[in-house]
Short mmCIF file of all heavy atoms in Angstrom, two decimals:
data_model
loop_
_atom_site.label_atom_id
_atom_site.label_comp_id
_atom_site.label_asym_id
_atom_site.label_seq_id
_atom_site.Cartn_x
_atom_site.Cartn_y
_atom_site.Cartn_z
N ASP A 1 20.32 236.90 225.52
CA ASP A 1 21.57 236.31 225.05
C ASP A 1 22.72 236.43 226.09
O ASP A 1 23.81 236.80 225.79
CB ASP A 1 22.02 236.93 223.69
CG ASP A 1 23.01 236.10 222.96
OD1 ASP A 1 23.03 234.87 223.14
OD2 ASP A 1 23.89 236.69 222.23
N ALA A 2 22.36 236.11 227.29
CA ALA A 2 23.30 236.13 228.44
C ALA A 2 23.64 234.71 228.82
O ALA A 2 22.92 233.79 228.46
CB ALA A 2 22.70 236.90 229.60
N GLU A 3 24.73 234.55 229.56
CA GLU A 3 25.22 233.24 229.92
C GLU A 3 25.32 233.10 231.44
O GLU A 3 25.87 233.98 232.09
CB GLU A 3 26.58 232.99 229.27
CG GLU A 3 27.19 231.68 229.60
CD GLU A 3 28.61 231.55 229.04
OE1 GLU A 3 29.06 232.44 228.30
OE2 GLU A 3 29.26 230.54 229.35
N LEU A 4 24.82 232.03 231.97
CA LEU A 4 24.95 231.72 233.41
C LEU A 4 26.34 231.16 233.63
O LEU A 4 26.74 230.14 233.03
CB LEU A 4 23.87 230.69 233.81
CG LEU A 4 23.84 230.33 235.27
CD1 LEU A 4 23.51 231.51 236.15
CD2 LEU A 4 22.86 229.19 235.52
N ILE A 5 27.09 231.82 234.53
CA ILE A 5 28.44 231.35 234.86
C ILE A 5 28.42 230.51 236.16
O ILE A 5 29.07 229.50 236.23
CB ILE A 5 29.37 232.55 235.07
CG1 ILE A 5 29.51 233.35 233.76
CG2 ILE A 5 30.76 232.09 235.52
CD1 ILE A 5 30.19 234.66 233.93
N LEU A 6 27.66 231.01 237.15
CA LEU A 6 27.68 230.33 238.44
C LEU A 6 26.28 230.49 239.05
O LEU A 6 25.67 231.52 238.99
CB LEU A 6 28.69 231.01 239.39
CG LEU A 6 28.71 230.54 240.85
CD1 LEU A 6 29.34 229.18 240.99
CD2 LEU A 6 29.44 231.54 241.69
N PHE A 7 25.84 229.40 239.69
CA PHE A 7 24.61 229.42 240.48
C PHE A 7 24.87 228.66 241.76
O PHE A 7 25.22 227.46 241.70
CB PHE A 7 23.44 228.77 239.72
CG PHE A 7 22.16 228.77 240.54
CD1 PHE A 7 21.33 229.89 240.51
CD2 PHE A 7 21.89 227.74 241.37
CE1 PHE A 7 20.17 229.90 241.27
CE2 PHE A 7 20.69 227.73 242.14
CZ PHE A 7 19.84 228.80 242.08
N GLU A 8 24.79 229.30 242.89
CA GLU A 8 24.97 228.67 244.21
C GLU A 8 23.74 228.92 245.03
O GLU A 8 23.32 230.07 245.15
CB GLU A 8 26.20 229.19 244.88
CG GLU A 8 27.49 228.74 244.23
CD GLU A 8 27.78 227.27 244.28
OE1 GLU A 8 27.27 226.57 245.20
OE2 GLU A 8 28.49 226.76 243.41
N TYR A 9 23.18 227.87 245.58
CA TYR A 9 21.99 227.95 246.43
C TYR A 9 22.39 227.37 247.80
O TYR A 9 22.74 226.22 247.89
CB TYR A 9 20.84 227.18 245.82
CG TYR A 9 19.61 227.12 246.68
CD1 TYR A 9 18.96 228.26 247.07
CD2 TYR A 9 19.07 225.88 247.08
CE1 TYR A 9 17.81 228.19 247.83
CE2 TYR A 9 17.93 225.81 247.87
CZ TYR A 9 17.31 226.98 248.21
OH TYR A 9 16.15 226.92 248.98
N TYR A 10 22.37 228.24 248.79
CA TYR A 10 22.80 227.83 250.13
C TYR A 10 21.54 227.57 250.98
O TYR A 10 21.06 228.46 251.70
CB TYR A 10 23.67 228.91 250.76
CG TYR A 10 24.90 229.14 249.98
CD1 TYR A 10 24.99 230.23 249.07
CD2 TYR A 10 26.04 228.36 250.10
CE1 TYR A 10 26.12 230.45 248.29
CE2 TYR A 10 27.16 228.54 249.36
CZ TYR A 10 27.21 229.62 248.50
OH TYR A 10 28.32 229.83 247.72
N HIS A 11 21.05 226.36 250.92
CA HIS A 11 19.79 226.02 251.62
C HIS A 11 19.94 226.12 253.16
O HIS A 11 19.00 226.41 253.84
CB HIS A 11 19.27 224.66 251.19
CG HIS A 11 20.16 223.55 251.62
ND1 HIS A 11 21.26 223.15 250.94
CD2 HIS A 11 20.10 222.74 252.71
CE1 HIS A 11 21.89 222.19 251.56
NE2 HIS A 11 21.20 221.90 252.59
N LYS A 12 21.15 225.90 253.68
CA LYS A 12 21.32 225.99 255.11
C LYS A 12 21.45 227.44 255.62
O LYS A 12 21.34 227.65 256.80
CB LYS A 12 22.61 225.22 255.49
CG LYS A 12 22.47 223.71 255.35
CD LYS A 12 23.68 222.98 255.81
CE LYS A 12 23.54 221.48 255.66
NZ LYS A 12 24.72 220.76 256.16
N ILE A 13 21.66 228.36 254.71
CA ILE A 13 21.81 229.76 255.12
C ILE A 13 20.62 230.55 254.59
O ILE A 13 20.72 231.40 253.71
CB ILE A 13 23.15 230.32 254.57
CG1 ILE A 13 24.32 229.43 254.92
CG2 ILE A 13 23.38 231.76 255.10
CD1 ILE A 13 25.63 229.83 254.26
N PHE A 14 19.46 230.23 255.13
CA PHE A 14 18.23 230.97 254.80
C PHE A 14 17.91 230.95 253.31
O PHE A 14 17.25 231.88 252.84
CB PHE A 14 18.27 232.42 255.34
CG PHE A 14 18.59 232.47 256.81
CD1 PHE A 14 19.83 232.94 257.24
CD2 PHE A 14 17.66 232.07 257.74
CE1 PHE A 14 20.08 232.98 258.60
CE2 PHE A 14 17.93 232.14 259.10
CZ PHE A 14 19.16 232.55 259.51
N GLY A 15 18.43 230.04 252.57
CA GLY A 15 18.15 229.98 251.16
C GLY A 15 18.86 231.07 250.35
O GLY A 15 18.37 231.46 249.27
N ASP A 16 19.98 231.56 250.83
CA ASP A 16 20.73 232.57 250.10
C ASP A 16 21.18 232.05 248.75
O ASP A 16 21.46 230.83 248.60
CB ASP A 16 21.92 233.07 250.88
CG ASP A 16 21.55 233.88 252.11
OD1 ASP A 16 20.35 234.15 252.29
OD2 ASP A 16 22.45 234.27 252.85
N ILE A 17 21.26 232.94 247.79
CA ILE A 17 21.54 232.57 246.41
C ILE A 17 22.63 233.49 245.85
O ILE A 17 22.57 234.70 246.11
CB ILE A 17 20.29 232.68 245.53
CG1 ILE A 17 19.20 231.71 246.07
CG2 ILE A 17 20.60 232.38 244.07
CD1 ILE A 17 17.86 231.91 245.43
N VAL A 18 23.57 232.94 245.10
CA VAL A 18 24.57 233.72 244.36
C VAL A 18 24.44 233.32 242.90
O VAL A 18 24.50 232.12 242.59
CB VAL A 18 25.99 233.47 244.89
CG1 VAL A 18 27.01 234.21 244.02
CG2 VAL A 18 26.16 233.81 246.32
N VAL A 19 24.32 234.30 242.02
CA VAL A 19 24.21 234.06 240.59
C VAL A 19 25.17 234.95 239.88
O VAL A 19 25.21 236.17 240.12
CB VAL A 19 22.77 234.35 240.08
CG1 VAL A 19 22.71 234.14 238.58
CG2 VAL A 19 21.73 233.52 240.78
N GLU A 20 26.01 234.38 239.06
CA GLU A 20 26.95 235.15 238.21
C GLU A 20 26.55 234.94 236.79
O GLU A 20 26.33 233.82 236.30
CB GLU A 20 28.39 234.69 238.39
CG GLU A 20 28.97 235.06 239.73
CD GLU A 20 30.46 234.69 239.86
OE1 GLU A 20 31.10 234.42 238.83
OE2 GLU A 20 30.91 234.71 241.02
N ILE A 21 26.47 236.08 236.04
CA ILE A 21 25.99 236.09 234.66
C ILE A 21 26.98 236.89 233.81
O ILE A 21 27.49 237.91 234.27
CB ILE A 21 24.61 236.72 234.55
CG1 ILE A 21 23.58 235.89 235.34
CG2 ILE A 21 24.19 236.92 233.12
CD1 ILE A 21 22.28 236.56 235.56
N MET A 22 27.21 236.45 232.62
CA MET A 22 28.00 237.18 231.66
C MET A 22 27.02 237.75 230.63
O MET A 22 26.27 237.01 230.02
CB MET A 22 29.03 236.32 230.94
CG MET A 22 29.97 237.11 230.03
SD MET A 22 30.98 238.31 230.90
CE MET A 22 32.13 237.31 231.77
N TYR A 23 26.99 239.09 230.53
CA TYR A 23 26.07 239.75 229.59
C TYR A 23 26.78 240.95 228.92
O TYR A 23 27.29 241.82 229.60
CB TYR A 23 24.84 240.23 230.38
CG TYR A 23 23.82 240.97 229.55
CD1 TYR A 23 23.20 240.37 228.47
CD2 TYR A 23 23.47 242.29 229.87
CE1 TYR A 23 22.25 241.02 227.73
CE2 TYR A 23 22.55 242.97 229.10
CZ TYR A 23 21.93 242.34 228.03
OH TYR A 23 21.00 243.00 227.28
N LYS A 24 26.81 240.87 227.64
CA LYS A 24 27.48 241.88 226.81
C LYS A 24 28.91 242.14 227.29
O LYS A 24 29.38 243.29 227.41
CB LYS A 24 26.68 243.21 226.86
CG LYS A 24 25.31 243.11 226.15
CD LYS A 24 24.65 244.44 226.10
CE LYS A 24 23.36 244.31 225.32
NZ LYS A 24 22.65 245.61 225.28
N GLY A 25 29.61 241.07 227.54
CA GLY A 25 31.03 241.14 227.96
C GLY A 25 31.27 241.63 229.36
O GLY A 25 32.42 241.85 229.74
N LYS A 26 30.25 241.79 230.12
CA LYS A 26 30.37 242.23 231.50
C LYS A 26 29.80 241.17 232.47
O LYS A 26 28.77 240.62 232.23
CB LYS A 26 29.64 243.55 231.70
CG LYS A 26 29.84 244.16 233.03
CD LYS A 26 29.12 245.53 233.11
CE LYS A 26 29.24 246.08 234.56
NZ LYS A 26 28.42 247.26 234.76
N LYS A 27 30.52 241.01 233.58
CA LYS A 27 30.04 240.04 234.58
C LYS A 27 29.10 240.70 235.56
O LYS A 27 29.40 241.80 236.06
CB LYS A 27 31.27 239.48 235.35
CG LYS A 27 30.96 238.35 236.29
CD LYS A 27 32.25 237.68 236.66
CE LYS A 27 32.33 237.40 238.11
NZ LYS A 27 33.56 236.75 238.48
N HIS A 28 27.97 240.08 235.79
CA HIS A 28 26.96 240.59 236.73
C HIS A 28 26.80 239.55 237.84
O HIS A 28 26.58 238.40 237.55
CB HIS A 28 25.59 240.77 236.03
CG HIS A 28 25.62 241.80 234.94
ND1 HIS A 28 25.26 243.08 235.15
CD2 HIS A 28 25.97 241.70 233.65
CE1 HIS A 28 25.37 243.77 234.05
NE2 HIS A 28 25.81 242.96 233.11
N VAL A 29 26.93 240.02 239.07
CA VAL A 29 26.81 239.15 240.23
C VAL A 29 25.60 239.59 241.05
O VAL A 29 25.47 240.75 241.43
CB VAL A 29 28.08 239.20 241.11
CG1 VAL A 29 27.94 238.26 242.33
CG2 VAL A 29 29.32 238.84 240.30
#
């Protein structure tokens, strides 16, 4: 029961990924 806030996929930078999630009122990056 978590929510995806942000998903960024940087294909030009070795496939780096940033994911932000809201879970139980706390932001997880």
Side-chain angles (χ1 to χ4, degrees):
D1 197 29
E3 179 186 354
L4 182 64
I5 298 171
L6 173 76
F7 179 89
E8 291 293 333
Y9 176 58
Y10 300 97
H11 66 277
K12 290 184 179 180
I13 309 171
F14 306 107
D16 289 356
I17 299 169
V18 176
V19 178
E20 289 184 15
I21 296 168
M22 186 63 72
Y23 178 60
K24 293 186 177 179
K26 185 177 176 188
K27 188 164 135 180
H28 297 266
V29 180

